[in-house]
Amino acid sequence: MASKHASDFRSIVESQWYRRAFPAMRISRSLQDEVWTSQRGFRKSTSVYGPLTGLGGDIFIIDDPQKPVDAQSDALRERLNQWVSNTLMSRLDSKQKGVIIVVQQRVHLNDLSGYLIESGGWEVLSLAGIAEEDETVAIGENEFHVRRAGEALHSELESADSLRKLQGQISPDDFEAQYQQRPVPRGGMFRRERLRYYDIPPEPRYPAKVVQSWDTAAKDGPQNSWSVCTTWILLNDHYYLLDLCRGRFEYPQLREMAIRLAQMHRPDWVLIEEASTGIALAQELKKIKFGGAVRPVPVERDKISRAYVQQAKFYAGQVLFPRGASFLPELEAELLVFPQGRNDDQVDSLVQALAFERGGYDSSLSWVC
């Protein structure tokens, strides 16, 4: 494949239409997988794990680096991820101006794209085979392509009808990953078909209650857990997610954020996991006036057991997310892979909020106001 790409490159730059468009571009020397230009440009085609010793570059393009079957192997996934982060990235001539482009279909939650997204700092363009909502995709400076919900990505090659037919022929998990770019491991506790959404939230006034749920981490830093606050409106046994804040905060930042969110949403209750920095945070929030009460929540049972108890609320359609919210993709990605995902902080905050009922906590957590 690398040799074919090199041959295709030479065919393009030597074509008449290309030379008319870029008259100064000329090949001065060409080997099987390497090309030098008259302006000292250089291009090399190689395979993943191929030789890069002594070579550098301004732009690296990684195209379909992993077979779907290889992505199911923990060892092979980790090998590729480490090669990209430890070997390939070190070859950028300029770490500030260099560019790395990864083009692939999603084949696993922790494939190369998933690994890089989790690392942070990447611009992500995710194009589903069938658009699930109206979306506007930037395709140039002040140029946009508008997709409507239900439209196929490239209807001339694969119509929406042909994709839906294919959807019924392969496993739902394979279709979600490779066509919708949304890998979900088999056996997740929460299923996408159980998720419900709202367009306009109910008014946050009586008889509704506003509840904030904090799951706090011990420290900041890229390898540590996230601190998460979810804000909900509770009305008629339904839980409407209003807002979500997620970050890796030092304690002073965490305290400042918690106070700001409490003053912004004026919750009736602030629930804080009684562990780690949550203990100190609860004490701090009790000192300010925001119109509500602070309740430390004791950690009883493991998180999987706590989440299991709250599954019924999803089955009953009692949990509603704001349609189109900016935080929704990350929340759904974490929720749908729980408990097999790398992070579960958003799920912890969510489950803690769902355990709250008008009289306090439900009996599954053995705590009542």
Side-chain angles (χ1 to χ4, degrees):
M1 183 62 70
S3 298
K4 180 182 184 300
H5 284 175
S7 176
D8 291 344
F9 172 81
R10 288 191 294 269
S11 297
I12 289 173
V13 299
E14 291 173 350
S15 67
Q16 292 300 316
W17 65 264
Y18 188 93
R19 290 190 172 187
R20 286 195 300 270
F22 304 99
M25 169 62 179
R26 291 291 185 271
I27 293 177
S28 62
R29 183 186 175 200
S30 176
L31 298 178
Q32 182 177 4
D33 299 330
E34 298 179 351
V35 173
W36 290 259
T37 74
S38 57
Q39 300 296 318
R40 302 183 66 183
F42 175 74
R43 181 189 189 278
K44 179 177 177 64
S45 297
T46 186
S47 60
V48 173
Y49 316 120
L52 294 175
T53 304
L55 296 177
D58 300 304
I59 301 174
F60 294 153
I61 301 176
I62 306 173
D63 180 36
D64 267 341
Q66 201 163 42
K67 299 176 183 176
V69 65
D70 289 347
Q72 307 312 308
S73 164
D74 292 343
L76 293 178
R77 285 198 316 275
E78 183 64 16
R79 183 188 178 201
L80 173 63
N81 295 342
Q82 292 304 313
W83 178 79
V84 171
S85 59
N86 296 334
T87 300
L88 186 73
M89 291 184 181
S90 67
R91 299 298 175 182
L92 280 174
D93 288 339
S94 171
K95 303 302 186 292
Q96 298 296 322
K97 299 180 180 179
V99 174
I100 299 178
I101 301 171
V102 180
V103 184
Q104 70 167 97
Q105 62 176 351
R106 297 302 305 274
V107 289
H108 191 276
L109 178 68
N110 298 320
D111 58 17
L112 179 58
S113 287
Y115 171 76
L116 295 176
I117 292 170
E118 177 64 25
S119 300
W122 292 78
E123 183 175 346
V124 180
L125 172 61
S126 179
L127 300 173
I130 302 175
E132 296 186 340
E133 58 184 22
D134 294 350
E135 58 183 354
T136 302
V137 182
I139 58 175
E141 187 173 354
N142 296 321
E143 292 184 88
F144 302 92
H145 172 71
V146 178
R147 294 185 70 194
R148 300 301 181 190
E151 284 186 1
L153 180 62
H154 196 328
S155 57
E156 291 81 359
L157 294 179
E158 288 184 308
S159 67
D161 287 341
S162 66
L163 286 172
R164 291 191 179 93
K165 182 178 180 180
L166 177 65
Q167 187 175 13
Q169 297 172 344
I170 65 177
S171 77
D173 292 329
D174 287 342
F175 187 85
E176 285 291 298
Q178 298 182 35
Y179 286 87
Q180 297 301 97
Q181 313 311 316
R182 191 171 48 207
V184 176
R186 292 166 175 79
M189 185 174 290
F190 301 95
R191 304 301 295 177
R192 179 170 293 280
E193 60 268 21
R194 296 296 181 180
L195 302 186
R196 298 293 181 266
Y197 303 90
Y198 70 84
D199 294 304
I200 300 175
E203 290 292 329
R205 59 172 180 255
Y206 185 83
K209 294 288 186 182
V210 178
V211 174
Q212 284 186 338
S213 174
W214 273 100
D215 179 77
T216 61
K219 334 173 162 174
D220 69 347
Q223 301 305 318
N224 295 306
S225 298
W226 299 79
S227 290
V228 176
C229 176
T230 52
T231 302
W232 304 77
I233 294 178
L234 276 59
L235 180 65
N236 298 328
D237 296 325
H238 285 70
Y239 297 72
Y240 298 82
L241 179 59
L242 192 63
D243 190 21
L244 186 150
C245 173
R246 181 177 188 242
R248 290 185 171 108
F249 305 118
E250 291 280 6
Y251 182 75
Q253 296 173 300
L254 177 66
R255 175 185 176 277
E256 181 180 340
M257 181 61 68
I259 292 174
R260 185 173 71 83
L261 291 173
Q263 293 174 338
M264 177 190 303
H265 293 290
R266 299 288 176 180
D268 298 284
W269 299 92
V270 178
L271 315 174
I272 304 178
E273 187 180 61
E274 197 172 35
S276 184
T277 53
I279 298 172
L281 186 63
Q283 294 173 347
E284 293 279 0
L285 286 179
K286 286 179 180 180
K287 298 176 183 178
I288 70 168
K289 295 181 179 179
F290 60 86
V294 178
R295 284 290 182 267
V297 180
V299 181
E300 298 180 358
R301 305 182 184 180
D302 62 273
K303 61 182 62 186
I304 295 178
S305 298
R306 297 197 302 267
Y308 179 80
V309 173
Q310 304 308 324
Q311 273 184 302
K313 291 185 172 73
F314 283 89
Y315 278 80
Q318 294 175 258
V319 185
L320 296 100
F321 295 152
R323 194 187 311 276
S326 60
F327 57 76
L328 199 56
E330 287 188 357
L331 171 61
E332 289 182 337
E334 184 177 304
L335 181 66
L336 294 176
V337 301
F338 181 84
Q340 303 175 50
R342 291 187 177 184
N343 296 309
D344 51 28
D345 313 277
Q346 295 177 95
V347 176
D348 286 346
S349 174
L350 178 149
V351 167
Q352 182 173 262
L354 296 185
F356 184 86
E357 296 181 345
R358 290 185 60 84
Y361 265 83
D362 62 24
S363 58
S364 64
L365 289 183
S366 305
W367 184 77
V368 180
C369 295

